[in-house]
Amino acid sequence: MAPAWDQHRRHAGTSTAPVSEALLTAAAPHPGDAVLELACGTGDLARQLAERVGADGQVLATDYAPAMVSLAAAALIN
């Protein structure tokens, strides 16, 4: 499934944007915070979280599928 998620990442991101915004608002991460994201998928939300917690913060993003973790890691590195 990971290759299909990656291929359709832009469409999926557009579809899930309202949920992601609601999660970011509810979590309200600040610089220096530590955040755990379960079922991170392709890592798009994890990347947004990392931007908010900054260099002094920490994001641990996990997923059941190793291939999705690889996609998330690539998204966070780039």
Side-chain angles (χ1 to χ4, degrees):
M1 294 296 298
W5 273 101
D6 192 37
Q7 181 180 2
H8 299 288
R9 182 184 295 228
R10 176 171 280 159
H11 174 70
T14 300
S15 298
T16 61
V19 174
S20 294
E21 285 301 319
L23 288 169
L24 289 167
T25 299
H30 298 321
D33 283 352
V35 180
L36 169 64
E37 183 187 1
L38 304 174
C40 70
T42 58
D44 295 330
L45 181 60
R47 185 175 20 80
Q48 293 176 61
L49 289 164
E51 290 170 1
R52 285 173 170 75
V53 301
D56 292 332
Q58 195 172 31
V59 175
L60 176 60
T62 67
D63 199 283
Y64 176 77
M68 295 299 263
V69 173
S70 294
L71 288 174
L76 292 172
I77 291 169
N78 294 325

